[in-house]
Amino acid sequence: ECDTDYGRRPVVAVLDTGVRAHPWLDMIPDGAGGYMPSIPDSFVATDPNIQREIFRESQWAANAGSTPRRVIRDAWDKPVADNPLIGELNEALGHSTFIAGIVRQVAPDATVLAVRVMGSDDILYESDLICGLRHLAKRIAIAQPGDLAAEVDVLSLSVGYYSESSPAQMASSGLWRVIKVLISLGVVVLVAAGNSASRRR
């Protein structure tokens, strides 16, 4: 339940595939391959500055030889299919839209800050995730007093992977370090437990 005593809507950052048009989310197609709010104070918001930094670092990694690599270019969930002739939808298409829909049902007065760090092909590069988290933390840390638009209350990470590192290495990983920064800034961090019913770390 949302507490309106703060004078603003709570903000849930969803780092995922980016959103698609859906009436629950107040998003409609913009006619240029992306989406836009259908009302002024829409349920979903994006951060062009964070998306620009993810693109810049993703492009740098691709140019430096991290191939094959799909560069995250904007905030929108795409492509629909890797092979349009076959027409099969990509595995993770709509995942962030689904997560935002869950938030809408649980906290209808919230705002979802949708940050795209993953393609609809269900491939997530750890560097893109860390970049998005780092710039999310920066957004919060440099916010001026009273800058309600920069606040983030909850971070939802509905992504997962199998750890190939020792517990000691995990404790010092770049991913855990940036998550600790977000927690220190007062952000509640929620992560997925995984879909495979495995005991593997």
Side-chain angles (χ1 to χ4, degrees):
E1 194 169 309
C2 298
D3 185 348
T4 55
D5 292 343
Y6 294 111
R8 65 174 178 85
R9 294 164 70 171
V11 177
V12 179
V14 175
L15 275 68
D16 207 295
T17 60
V19 294
R20 302 184 64 78
H22 195 285
W24 277 13
L25 308 182
D26 307 324
M27 300 297 287
I28 57 174
D30 66 2
Y35 305 94
M36 64 183 197
S38 60
I39 58 174
D41 191 19
S42 69
F43 182 73
V44 171
T46 59
D47 186 320
N49 295 326
I50 293 177
Q51 289 300 155
R52 186 168 41 252
E53 290 303 321
I54 293 169
F55 168 71
R56 188 180 63 78
E57 292 190 28
S58 188
Q59 185 71 65
W60 179 88
N63 292 341
S66 176
T67 55
R69 185 186 185 99
R70 177 169 280 151
V71 174
I72 301 295
R73 299 188 181 280
D74 54 40
W76 313 118
D77 185 9
K78 58 187 177 183
V80 172
D82 284 327
N83 188 337
L85 293 176
I86 296 174
E88 280 186 8
L89 299 179
N90 273 344
E91 261 187 77
L93 184 73
H95 192 265
S96 187
T97 304
F98 174 76
I99 298 300
I102 292 173
V103 175
R104 184 73 191 228
Q105 290 185 28
V106 174
D109 295 327
T111 295
V112 163
L113 175 62
V115 178
R116 183 176 179 222
V117 294
M118 181 170 78
S120 60
D121 54 4
D122 208 18
I123 295 173
L124 170 63
Y125 299 99
E126 188 175 20
S127 58
D128 289 341
L129 176 58
I130 291 174
C131 177
L133 292 169
R134 195 174 71 244
H135 287 283
L136 184 67
K138 181 178 177 182
R139 165 191 164 120
I140 300 165
I142 66 172
Q144 298 297 314
D147 182 3
L148 302 181
E151 296 293 331
V152 174
D153 302 289
V154 177
L155 167 63
S156 169
L157 292 175
S158 294
V159 299
Y161 69 100
Y162 291 113
S163 171
E164 304 295 337
S165 305
S166 70
Q169 288 173 308
M170 283 301 297
S172 61
S173 74
L175 181 56
W176 175 233
R177 285 198 308 267
V178 73
I179 287 174
K180 282 197 294 188
V181 169
L182 286 158
I183 291 170
S184 74
L185 291 168
V187 179
V188 175
V189 179
L190 305 172
V191 297
N195 296 333
S196 56
S198 169
R199 293 185 179 275
R200 184 177 169 194
R201 290 180 64 86

